[in-house]
Amino acid sequence: MACDGFGNYGGHVMIIPTAHLEALYDLDEQTGSAIMWETKRVALAMKLAWNPAGTSTRQHNEPAGNQHVWHYHQHVFPRYADDELYRQLRHRVSVEDRARKALELRSALFSAEHPYRLTDADMVR
């Protein structure tokens, strides 16, 4: 769960590879494919956990592309009619809210209702 919320809601997710890759240009095919698969899995879990009206993803490259963190990451947002996501109204999301939302999302990711649910065997520790 990301520490910042945008617009009227918090609770977006960042998909981040463990290997250091600065930008989209540095992704190899296997890593890029894995990131998109997890992006899809998280978006579907958001639909189960929070019933948003939709989902959005975004990713930024270089300063002119609005990149602020120099490690590749993909944002996944639950979307609501009044969320004002693209107005860039960034705000901190409390640790308590992030922890609650993480538990809700985890439950959805492991749910039998999820078409690509996670299992304990999928977990890398």
Side-chain angles (χ1 to χ4, degrees), residues 59-94:
Q59 189 275 326
H60 307 281
N61 300 286
E62 302 175 286
N66 204 30
Q67 184 175 8
H68 295 93
V69 175
W70 305 107
H71 185 95
Y72 178 92
H73 57 285
Q74 174 83 24
H75 297 266
V76 187
F77 296 91
R79 297 301 308 274
Y80 305 93
D82 63 344
D83 64 22
E84 298 183 341
L85 175 64
Y86 295 111
R87 290 198 53 217
Q88 298 296 331
L89 303 173
R90 180 180 281 199
H91 57 88
R92 287 304 235 193
V93 178
S94 73

Side-chain angles (χ1 to χ4, degrees), residues 9-85:
Y9 297 90
H12 84 282
V13 171
M14 292 174 27
I15 309 292
I16 306 170
T18 54
H20 176 66
L21 302 165
E22 186 170 297
L24 176 68
Y25 320 123
D26 303 314
L27 290 181
D28 58 84
E29 186 175 339
Q30 183 178 359
T31 303
S33 179
I35 288 166
M36 287 311 298
W37 179 253
E38 292 309 318
T39 298
K40 177 180 179 176
R41 190 188 326 243
V42 166
L44 288 165
M46 285 178 172
K47 295 289 286 176
L48 286 172
W50 305 321
N51 196 31
T55 61
S56 288
T57 65
R58 71 182 187 195
Q59 189 275 326
H60 307 281
N61 300 286
E62 302 175 286
N66 204 30
Q67 184 175 8
H68 295 93
V69 175
W70 305 107
H71 185 95
Y72 178 92
H73 57 285
Q74 174 83 24
H75 297 266
V76 187
F77 296 91
R79 297 301 308 274
Y80 305 93
D82 63 344
D83 64 22
E84 298 183 341
L85 175 64

